Structures are given as C-alpha cells and as structure tokens.
Amino acid sequence: MSALFERLSLNTATIKKASLAEALELCRAAGLGHIGLWRDKVAEVGLENAVELVKASGLSVSSLCRGGFLTAADPAGAAAALADNRAAIMEAKALGATELVMVAGGLPAFSVAPGAVDGGTAGTPASGGKDLLAARRSVADRLAELVPFALEHGVRLVLEPLHPMYAADRAVISTLGQALDLAAPHPAETVGVVVDTFHVWWDPALKEQIARAGSQGRIASYQVCDFNLPIAADALLSRGFMGDGVIDFAPIGAWMEQAGYRGVVEVEIFNQQIWDAAPADVIRTVKDRWAELVAPSLNVGGIRVH
C-alpha cells in the first residue's frame, strides 16, 4: 500500500450501488487498506457472510454506520432503539469495527425511522412531540444505558453531530461541542466523536472543539466530503467530492493534526450523480482529491505531503 493512501478509507455510502463484495474488491484493487461499512450492506448478505467477506478482503473496517436514533418519546420506541443499538454493537464487534457511528435522532414527531437509509425513502415519522430539550435529554439518558454494553464488547459509541438543517428529522445534536458534552460523563474509550466536514465546517468554534476533543482522547473518526451548492432538492444529497463545494479542507486537517488525530480518514458522500457513476471511477477521483486536498494537511505515512 502506498504511504500516501495508508490512512484513506472509502465508506460504502459513496458507492451505494455496489454490493458489499464489490465494494471490498474495488477498495482492495485500488490499494486501500480500510473500508467504512453501512449496516444495510451487511444486512443484504447477512452478518456471517459479511464477516467472511471482510476477512477474505484483508481490509480493516474503519467504522460501522449507524446506531443512534435515541429520541423516541414512547416506551416501545425507546425499547426498540436500545435493542437495535445493542444489535449494532454486536455487528460491529463481529466485523472487527471498534467504532459504531451514532446519529442522535430528530424530534420525536419528525424523526425518520432508524432503519431508513440516507438518500432513500425517509421512513415513517415517529410519534411524539416537538420538545427539542426533551429529545436531547433522551439521547443522554439512552446513551448512558448503552455505555456498559458497549464497554463490555469493546466497541466505542461515536457521536456524530449533523448540520443544523437535519435537527428536526435526524439529529438534535448539531455541533461538536454538543457531542463532546454528551460524551463527557463516559470513558473516552467508550464514547467518542466523529468530525465530519460536511456537518461541522461552518461552526465558528470548530478549531477549539477539535482541540478539546483531541485533549480528551475522544476523536474516533474523521470523515471528509464537500458541501455543494446549490443545495439539492433532497438536502441529504448535497455532498460532493472534495474540491467540488465550499469547504476549505486545509485548516480543518491542520486542526485535526494538531489535536493528535492519527487515525483513518473516511470519504463518505451522498450524491446521486456519484452513485450513478462507475464505482471504480469514483474511487479514482476520491484518491486524486485526497492526494490534492486532504493529505497535504495531514502527516501521512510519516511524511509530509506537499
């Protein structure tokens, strides 16, 4: 594997139409050592088969997405969410993924169904109200219930703040600071955070919060893609290749480097045109943009890339 790409991971959401077997083979053929998995790809083949496919590929699983959706207002919904997250923790463990990405969930009255796949049908709205503060309390309470189970199985729950435009239907947690506040009562090895450029690039406190996360040992993942304009009719599909949108990756990468993050960097893109393109072409573009726009701000393979 080239030192330039040793920290690069492709999230399966970027090549959504590829099967799990195809995605693994494409990443291996492209010289990547890591892949980020969505649970829908695992479910398509079954967990046992997915585990065997991953082992055969030789790739490491940088993260499993997703858990969370912890804001249901009714007891049955809360119990179902906790059960689904425990199942996700077990899936992550079986796949060799130490990080389970958690999306908090939206307002109870508007939150999409936990199983809804981004970019697809949103799902049936849950019952409940519009109490934002109560929804955030629910996330904190249910996270606390899940921590002992995650700790027992060696999987870190990774809180992902989402852009504020998703606060109603997907994540009542919008900033890295909020995610760190939620994580604070729990051990850093069990609850971490992900820095996703699409969701947090706009935050005026981002530099300080990345430094805070690094000092606490809570940065579990760094995900990159661009924020495209104009925003798509389906806002979920407004991500793009690095360099196609408004994000300046150099300072964010430098802040991650200064915070001590030396882990894998995932490229996760929801974009219909990219999904419709040949997956091998998509991966080539990802590698090109990584080399041009992301790697220069990171210490890649022990060398500084210029």
Side-chain angles (χ1 to χ4, degrees):
M1 183 194 311
S2 166
L4 177 59
F5 300 110
E6 65 183 3
R7 291 175 62 186
L8 176 60
S9 176
L10 185 80
N11 189 288
T12 56
T14 307
I15 49 172
K16 183 179 178 180
K17 293 184 178 181
S19 68
L20 177 58
E22 290 167 341
L24 289 164
E25 175 54 27
L26 285 162
C27 288
R28 188 202 61 77
L32 304 185
H34 313 277
I35 191 168
L37 299 181
W38 268 67
R39 293 175 70 197
D40 63 315
K41 293 300 179 189
V42 174
E44 285 175 2
V45 299
L47 179 59
E48 185 176 341
N49 287 334
V51 169
E52 291 305 314
L53 286 168
V54 169
K55 286 181 179 178
S57 74
L59 300 178
S60 70
V61 180
S62 51
S63 72
L64 180 66
C65 193
R66 66 192 173 185
F69 289 86
L70 301 173
T71 57
D74 60 298
L82 290 170
D84 183 66
N85 277 278
R86 292 187 182 104
I89 289 167
M90 296 305 295
E91 291 168 21
K93 180 179 180 179
L95 291 160
T98 58
E99 319 293 348
L100 175 65
V101 176
M102 306 280 286
V103 174
L107 296 173
F110 301 98
S111 187
V112 301
V117 177
D118 283 344
T121 303
T124 304
S127 62
K130 301 179 181 179
D131 191 333
L132 178 60
L133 297 181
R136 288 174 176 155
R137 286 195 296 270
S138 294
V139 175
D141 293 344
R142 290 161 195 168
L143 180 66
E145 291 189 61
L146 290 169
V147 162
F149 190 81
L151 184 62
E152 177 185 353
H153 294 286
V155 174
R156 181 155 52 170
L157 307 177
V158 182
L159 303 176
E160 181 172 19
L162 266 58
H163 192 282
M165 64 182 169
Y166 303 122
D169 64 346
R170 277 177 163 76
V172 295
I173 306 305
S174 302
T175 69
L176 189 58
Q178 287 177 308
L180 288 167
D181 289 346
L182 270 175
H186 310 293
E189 65 269 23
T190 306
V191 183
V193 296
V194 53
V195 177
D196 184 322
T197 56
F198 178 83
H199 292 302
V200 301
W201 69 273
W202 58 273
D203 186 350
L206 185 58
K207 179 180 180 181
E208 292 77 15
Q209 294 303 323
I210 288 175
R212 175 188 172 194
S215 69
Q216 295 175 2
R218 292 197 186 270
I219 305 178
S221 180
Y222 181 30
Q223 293 184 334
V224 295
C225 73
D226 220 326
F227 190 105
N228 286 0
L229 291 177
I231 294 175
D234 181 348
L236 287 169
L237 306 185
S238 292
R239 295 175 177 239
F241 289 120
M242 297 80 78
D244 284 356
V246 304
I247 297 176
D248 184 358
F249 292 91
I252 301 175
W255 300 337
M256 294 292 288
E257 175 77 3
Q258 291 161 13
Y261 184 70
R262 302 293 184 269
V264 173
V265 182
E266 283 188 11
V267 175
E268 183 187 58
I269 304 173
F270 306 123
N271 180 297
Q272 191 63 54
Q273 289 182 316
I274 292 173
W275 288 342
D276 290 341
D281 292 341
V282 171
I283 295 175
R284 277 193 290 272
T285 302
V286 164
K287 291 177 67 177
D288 289 345
R289 301 296 179 86
W290 160 268
E292 177 187 0
L293 297 170
V294 181
S297 59
L298 300 171
N299 186 5
V300 178
I303 59 173
R304 179 69 62 180
V305 181
H306 296 285

